[in-house]
């Protein structure tokens, strides 16, 4: 196995601090808490996509063995945060999150219509099958292409002049007609589902009717706490959310979903702790998805390869009751230097559940189209696609006319091209064959916005000099605890073994949820400043000791104090320092604590901040079967300073795997006669497995971005997937001469 980092970078990396717990089964996931008196809920879901419930026959279910309750809109406990039902009831206006068991309306196939609570999960499943629901059915519309003419400007955008989703233009979009070389193409991405291996699950526990604890799979304990407190009209502190271990989420856990509210309702109704675990099939209609999206791109350049105009129009799918907006066309404004740019974004409401953010939302979708179009135009120009991108490299942000806080994309391109051997690429498609396979090389750029939110962290040193750092942040898989441990250990000059990081509980210091690749920039900064504050306190106490002559003269008062190996040092050359434990002991302290908040400042208005990257991909295509194998990937990123190489590399690999899934496999197929997904298991919804994934080489520029935060680190999670699907499609074109503009690139499209 080739090593992509210098030995010391990997050797000084921390392995996952919770790795042992995870692989040994000791880690407790949301559905695994042994709460006394626990009972089980199972959802009954609609089998029509539009209409209303006319009757629910539940007597047989209610009298089945072990059943405690059958809950539906007919008898559900009130959710006090929801408006009283209008009489006569009307369909929810656009902008209303779906309210479970609220009224008789059906908005999508798979909508929860009832819930059975029983003493065992098996009995609940059995009784759920006995509930008979009758409907008055209405004609549904779920087919994107057939309805795309009904797409319009989102209401949200109509209301907000400053929305980034407003139509955008710089220069003159009509200038496309004058471009010497131009292409026009349409790209389509089907609906895709996150499908983390751990299904969404919750245990809801009421105490004395006004205190609620949930063990819930989500991506933000504080945000879930706020949403639940609001729904059930409770003081925030009366709601506690515990989400210590998450088996993947990819965006599916950013919101509180209807099944969460349903479980809390059930626990209230039966006055027992209730567990609800979604079935794999229910994961397709309960926790959002990447929306079906169609994009049209027209881009043109001068003969020497300078971009002249880009026109990017995107239309995404949403539900009838809620608008979900994505950055689909936004990257096109900032990625390349181009004088004439116009973008337009539209939404198409259908009788489906609401989509949500998934793995580089919008950007992964938009950059598939943009980077495919760039490849198409490079081919029309007979120019190397990398050279074409370099020719249009944006030295400043062409959208906001601001300097980048830092941008080393050029170094990424260079590093990636060298490591990959890009110079061996042939411009003419289908010109390399190896062992009967068509060989293709493709590349694409990547960018992802920088997100930093106010965050708090608390650092507590114990009498023995060890430190616990706490923040209500999350780890949905990237290794948050490991990275935070690394930050704290570095600031405090402590061995990482002496640092413990606690996350995933709403009673910890306030932090944002884990999304938008914002955790290191936000929470990492809070951990950094909290540990800096603790360090200052330690040094001040050491100085007092020194002044009292109690440090053996080892700490110099005047200057140069610092920390190393668990000791405070002065500036003297033969200074032996004084240990943290001795400082606390001398001052008779059991512990020393610092809590700090960190937030972004005016730099946001002075600089344009992005993570950048690029991917190089080699594919082999079987000319007889059309099967595409990705055989090699080199991915490079410029995300500022790397905190911990081992977990960073693992995140980059994960992103690329997601990109390969998006490019070649993932596709939620619907039977439009019923408005129902039919690919609702892993036999039919394909995600990459080990056999599908080649060696992935990961490289970083690893240069701190001094403007973004104290560590100089930007987000890493999503930059790794954005662009990958484009790079794969471009490699497939290079291998076969066939341009596939509709994902996934399955064999039927190539033969
Ligand atoms: Mo991510 S889609 O911001 O979890």
């Amino acid at each position: 196995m080739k090593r992509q980092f210098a030995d010391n970078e990997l050797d000084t990396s921390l392995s996952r601090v919770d790795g042992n717990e995870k692989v040994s089964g000791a880690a407790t996931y949301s559905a695994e808490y042994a709460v006394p008196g626990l009972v089980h809920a199972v959802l009954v879901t609609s089998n029509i996509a539009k209409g209303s419930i006319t009757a629910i026959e539940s007597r047989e279910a209610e009298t089945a063995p072990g059943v405690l309750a059958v809950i539906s809109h007919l008898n559900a406990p009130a959710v006090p945060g929801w408006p009283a039902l209008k009489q006569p009831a009307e369909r929810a206006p656009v902008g209303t999150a779906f309210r479970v068991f609220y009224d008789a309306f059906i908005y999508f196939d798979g909508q929860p219509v009832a819930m059975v609570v029983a003493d065992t999960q098996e009995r609940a499943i059995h009784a759920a099958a006995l509930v008979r629901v009758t409907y008055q059915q209405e004609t549904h519309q779920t087919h994107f292409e057939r309805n795309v003419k009904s797409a319009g400007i989102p209401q949200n955008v109509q209301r907000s002049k400053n929305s980034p989703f407003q139509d955008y233009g710089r220069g003159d979009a009509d200038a496309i007609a004058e471009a010497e070389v131009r292409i026009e193409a349409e790209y389509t991405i089907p609906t895709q589902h996150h499908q983390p291996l751990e299904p969404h699950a919750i245990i809801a526990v009421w105490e004395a009717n006004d205190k609620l604890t949930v063990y819930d799979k989500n991506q933000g304990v504080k945000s879930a706490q706020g949403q639940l407190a609001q729904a059930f009209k409770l003081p925030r502190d009366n709601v506690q959310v515990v989400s210590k271990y998450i088996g993947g989420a990819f965006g599916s856990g950013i919101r509180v979903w209807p099944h969460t509210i349903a479980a809390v309702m059930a626990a209230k109704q039966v006055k027992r702790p209730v567990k609800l675990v979604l079935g794999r099939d229910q994961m397709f209609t309960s926790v959002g998805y990447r929306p079906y999206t169609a994009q049209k791109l027209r881009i043109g350049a001068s003969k020497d390869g300078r971009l002249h105009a880009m026109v990017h129009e995107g239309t995404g799918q949403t539900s009838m009751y809620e608008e979900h907006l994505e950055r689909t066309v936004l990257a096109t404004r900032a990625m390349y230097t181009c004088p004439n740019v116009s973008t337009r974004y539209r939404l198409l409401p259908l009788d489906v559940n609401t989509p949500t953010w998934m793995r580089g939302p919008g950007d992964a979708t938009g950059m598939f189209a943009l980077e495919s179009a760039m490849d198409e135009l490079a081919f029309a120009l007979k120019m190397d696609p990398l050279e074409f991108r370099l020719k249009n490299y944006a030295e400043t942000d062409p959208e906001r006319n601001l300097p980048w806080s830092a941008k080393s994309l050029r170094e990424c391109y260079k590093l990636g091209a060298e490591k990959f051997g890009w110079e061996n690429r042939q411009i003419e498609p289908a010109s390399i064959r190896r062992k009967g396979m068509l060989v293709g090389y493709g590349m694409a750029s990547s960018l992802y916005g920088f997100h930093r939110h106010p965050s708090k962290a608390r650092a507590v040193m114990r009498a023995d000099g060890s430190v616990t750092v706490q923040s209500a942040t999350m780890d949905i898989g990237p290794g948050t605890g490991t990275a935070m441990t690394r930050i704290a250990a570095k600031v405090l000059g402590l061995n990482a073994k002496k640092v413990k990081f606690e996350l995933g509980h709403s009673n910890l210091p306030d932090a944002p949820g884990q999304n938008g690749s914002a955790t290191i920039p936000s929470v990492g900064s809070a951990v950094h400043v909290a540990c800096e504050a603790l360090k200052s306190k330690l040094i001040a106490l050491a100085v007092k000791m020194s002044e009292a002559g109690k440090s053996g003269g080892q700490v110099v008062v005047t200057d140069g104090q610092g920390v190393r190996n668990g000791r405070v040092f002065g500036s003297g050359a033969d200074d032996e320092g004084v240990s943290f434990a001795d400082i606390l002991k001398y001052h008779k302290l059991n512990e020393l604590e610092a809590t700090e908040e960190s937030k972004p400042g005016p730099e946001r208005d002075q600089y344009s901040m992005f993570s950048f990257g690029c991917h190089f991909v080699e594919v082999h295509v079987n000319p007889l079967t059309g099967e595409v194998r990705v055989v090699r990937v080199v991915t490079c990123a410029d995300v500022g300073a790397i905190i911990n190489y081992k977990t960073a590399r693992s995140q980059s690999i994960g992103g690329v795997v997601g990109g390969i899934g998006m490019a070649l496999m993932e596709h939620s197929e619907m039977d439009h006669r019923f408005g129902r997904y039919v690919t609702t298991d892993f036999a039919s919804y394909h995600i990459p497995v080990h056999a599908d994934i080649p060696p992935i080489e990961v490289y970083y520029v690893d240069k701190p971005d001094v403007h973004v935060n104290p560590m100089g680190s930007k987000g890493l999670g999503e930059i790794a997937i954005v662009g990958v699907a484009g790079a794969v499609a471009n490699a497939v074109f290079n291998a076969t001469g066939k341009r596939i503009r509709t994902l996934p690139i399955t064999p039927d499209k190539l033969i």
Side-chain angles (χ1 to χ4, degrees):
M1 175 81 198
K2 209 186 269 180
R3 302 189 78 170
Q4 283 106 52
F5 305 120
D7 282 353
N8 66 334
E9 286 160 344
L10 264 185
D11 292 348
T12 57
S13 281
L14 288 183
S15 294
R16 284 174 189 265
V17 293
D18 49 4
N20 282 348
E21 283 140 70
K22 284 187 169 175
V23 298
S24 65
T28 309
Y29 290 81
S30 297
E32 300 179 326
Y33 285 84
V35 178
L38 190 70
V39 294
H40 302 263
V42 167
L43 294 171
V44 179
T45 57
S46 78
N47 55 16
I48 66 163
K50 186 177 182 186
S52 49
I53 301 166
T54 50
I56 297 181
E57 175 48 64
S58 59
R59 206 169 328 134
E60 209 186 333
E62 280 159 12
T63 53
V67 171
L68 299 165
V70 178
I71 298 166
S72 70
H73 71 288
L74 300 172
N75 64 346
V79 176
W82 291 347
L85 194 59
K86 279 191 197 135
Q87 292 294 348
E90 292 163 9
R91 282 186 168 260
V94 174
T96 313
F98 171 68
R99 299 183 286 232
V100 67
F101 308 141
Y102 182 73
D103 55 28
F105 291 113
I106 300 298
Y107 296 89
F108 58 93
D109 181 88
Q111 172 182 322
V113 290
M115 175 174 45
V116 175
V117 188
D119 57 352
T120 69
Q121 192 180 16
E122 292 74 12
R123 285 171 148 180
I125 291 170
H126 171 68
L130 302 174
V131 177
R132 302 269 171 263
V133 183
T134 47
Y135 304 95
Q136 173 154 8
Q137 199 168 347
E138 293 170 46
T139 310
H140 61 259
Q141 299 298 339
T142 53
H143 199 293
F144 187 95
E145 307 295 345
R146 273 182 221 145
N147 289 284
V148 73
K149 288 207 165 60
S150 318
I153 301 173
Q155 291 187 15
N156 189 295
V157 174
Q158 292 177 32
R159 278 195 303 270
S160 158
K161 273 209 163 53
N162 297 323
S163 166
F165 302 101
Q166 288 282 359
D167 290 359
Y168 166 85
R170 69 170 179 258
D172 174 13
D174 294 337
I176 188 81
E178 321 154 349
E180 289 169 325
V181 183
R182 55 185 182 266
I183 61 115
E184 174 171 342
E186 288 189 40
Y187 304 89
T188 306
I189 292 193
T191 293
Q192 301 172 332
H193 281 81
H194 313 76
Q195 295 306 339
L197 289 187
E198 180 205 21
H200 280 249
I202 172 174
I203 295 173
V205 188
W206 282 95
E207 203 185 303
N209 225 21
D210 68 344
K211 281 210 171 81
L212 173 67
T213 300
V214 298
Y215 304 89
D216 177 49
K217 173 177 179 140
N218 64 62
Q219 290 177 234
V221 281
K222 281 288 184 184
S223 142
Q225 178 191 43
Q227 290 176 63
L228 287 170
Q230 201 174 26
F232 290 93
K233 283 211 166 144
L234 295 169
R236 250 189 116 100
D237 289 342
N238 283 23
V239 179
Q240 291 303 334
V241 180
V242 186
S243 319
K244 289 202 173 164
Y245 298 93
I246 306 288
F250 316 115
S252 63
I254 297 176
R255 298 180 64 171
V256 164
W257 294 106
H259 73 272
T260 308
I261 302 283
V264 175
M265 278 179 170
K268 186 151 217 178
Q269 182 104 331
V270 302
K271 299 186 166 53
R272 297 271 291 272
V274 167
K275 183 200 288 198
L276 174 60
V277 180
L278 294 183
R280 184 56 64 186
D281 56 336
Q282 293 174 335
M283 290 284 290
F284 284 80
T285 46
S286 305
V287 290
Y289 53 91
R290 191 196 293 287
Y292 195 110
T293 304
Q295 300 174 73
K296 192 164 147 186
L297 263 147
R298 287 179 287 156
I299 63 173
S302 57
K303 276 189 191 139
D304 65 350
R306 274 175 301 115
L307 278 169
H308 185 63
M310 302 199 280
V311 180
H312 190 171
E313 297 165 2
T315 303
Q317 163 182 314
T318 193
S319 67
M320 286 291 179
Y321 51 92
E322 231 178 348
E323 293 185 327
H324 169 73
L325 298 111
E326 296 205 324
R327 291 179 38 88
T328 313
V329 299
L330 269 57
T332 300
R333 305 175 186 173
M335 189 65 227
Y336 300 108
T337 287
C338 179
N340 304 298
V341 175
S342 134
T343 69
R344 213 176 77 167
Y345 179 66
R346 297 292 180 264
L347 272 186
L348 174 62
L350 293 170
D351 294 305
V352 293
N353 59 315
T354 310
T356 194
W357 303 280
M358 173 168 155
R359 308 180 197 149
D363 290 312
T365 306
M367 288 292 276
F368 160 65
L370 177 63
E371 290 301 280
S372 294
M374 287 294 284
D375 203 72
E376 297 201 42
L377 189 53
F379 187 70
L381 288 160
K382 300 197 178 2
M383 189 179 259
D384 177 86
L386 176 54
E387 190 192 329
F388 181 43
R389 284 169 174 83
L390 283 166
K391 198 139 206 169
N392 295 286
Y393 193 84
E395 300 289 354
T396 54
D397 180 348
E399 180 187 3
R400 294 175 69 202
N401 276 322
L402 283 176
W404 308 110
S405 56
K407 178 177 181 179
S408 298
L409 179 57
R410 190 176 273 117
E411 289 83 337
C412 281
Y413 285 142
K414 190 166 180 286
L415 189 60
E418 264 172 37
K419 300 289 182 186
F420 184 80
W422 182 251
E423 79 273 11
N424 299 323
R425 178 182 184 271
Q426 303 296 312
I427 234 170
E428 202 49 46
S431 49
I432 308 177
R433 272 189 192 238
R434 216 175 288 147
K435 291 185 187 159
M437 296 293 154
L438 294 162
V439 176
Y441 286 7
M443 61 85 56
S445 318
S446 177
L447 99 171
Y448 192 80
F450 174 77
H451 305 288
R452 179 179 175 194
H453 314 291
S455 307
K456 286 182 187 156
R458 177 190 300 133
V460 185
M461 181 166 284
R462 314 268 171 223
D464 66 355
S466 68
V467 170
T468 299
V469 184
Q470 301 173 314
S471 182
T473 182
M474 309 295 293
D475 183 4
I476 62 170
T480 309
T482 313
M484 298 303 163
T485 297
R486 190 82 200 267
I487 292 170
K490 197 171 165 194
V491 172
L492 287 166
L494 261 180
N495 186 312
K497 287 198 176 77
K498 294 243 164 151
V499 178
K500 190 169 171 240
F501 187 78
E502 293 178 354
L503 50 63
H505 198 302
S506 56
N507 64 8
L508 297 172
D510 211 351
Q514 184 156 73
N515 58 66
S517 303
T519 305
I520 292 284
S522 313
V523 182
S525 301
V527 169
H528 185 99
V529 296
C531 291
E532 284 284 359
L534 183 62
K535 181 170 89 177
S536 301
K537 286 187 179 181
L538 274 169
I539 289 174
L541 291 173
V543 167
K544 274 193 190 154
M545 253 176 111
S546 165
E547 285 167 347
K550 300 293 182 191
S551 69
Q554 292 154 337
V555 176
V556 173
V557 185
T558 47
D559 63 355
Q561 290 97 349
V563 288
R564 203 164 70 234
N565 298 331
R567 304 174 83 80
V568 175
F569 286 85
S571 59
D574 46 3
D575 189 345
E576 288 168 22
V578 51
S579 79
F580 296 166
D582 284 346
I583 298 170
L584 267 72
K585 194 174 164 195
Y586 171 78
H587 290 283
K588 297 192 174 56
L589 293 169
N590 283 327
E591 57 179 50
L592 187 63
E593 186 260 354
T595 301
E596 291 290 326
E597 183 180 33
S598 173
K599 50 186 167 188
E603 69 277 3
R604 282 192 294 194
D605 303 320
Q606 295 156 358
Y607 298 99
S608 186
M609 301 169 178
F610 284 89
S611 292
F612 296 94
C614 57
H615 316 285
F616 294 83
V617 170
E618 178 178 340
V619 298
H620 289 182
V621 182
N622 185 319
L624 297 176
T625 65
E627 187 193 8
V628 178
R629 307 289 303 177
V630 176
V631 299
R632 205 157 61 86
V633 180
V634 170
T635 185
C636 298
D638 162 30
V639 296
I642 299 296
I643 300 290
N644 191 56
Y645 264 83
K646 210 182 235 182
T647 42
R649 172 176 177 270
S650 166
Q651 253 192 297
S652 290
I653 290 172
V656 171
V657 171
I660 292 174
M662 181 179 176
L664 299 181
M665 295 162 206
E666 295 186 59
H667 178 194
S668 300
E669 184 75 68
M670 194 176 253
D671 183 337
H672 294 286
R673 291 172 302 167
F674 309 106
R676 182 179 307 155
Y677 290 112
V678 290
T679 50
T680 57
D681 55 31
F682 284 146
S684 48
Y685 186 87
H686 290 178
I687 54 171
V689 298
H690 285 291
D692 298 312
I693 298 303
I696 296 168
E697 293 180 33
V698 181
Y699 300 95
Y700 301 114
V701 175
D702 196 4
K703 221 193 266 175
D705 180 337
V706 297
H707 298 297
V708 290
N709 55 28
M711 300 89 58
S713 286
K714 295 186 274 200
L716 171 61
E718 287 164 293
I719 189 75
I721 184 173
V722 174
V724 172
V728 173
N730 297 342
V732 168
F733 174 77
N734 185 243
T736 64
K738 288 184 182 149
R739 175 61 62 179
I740 309 302
R741 303 187 182 90
T742 299
L743 296 183
I745 306 172
T746 42
D748 54 298
K749 291 173 183 152
L750 285 167
I751 50 175

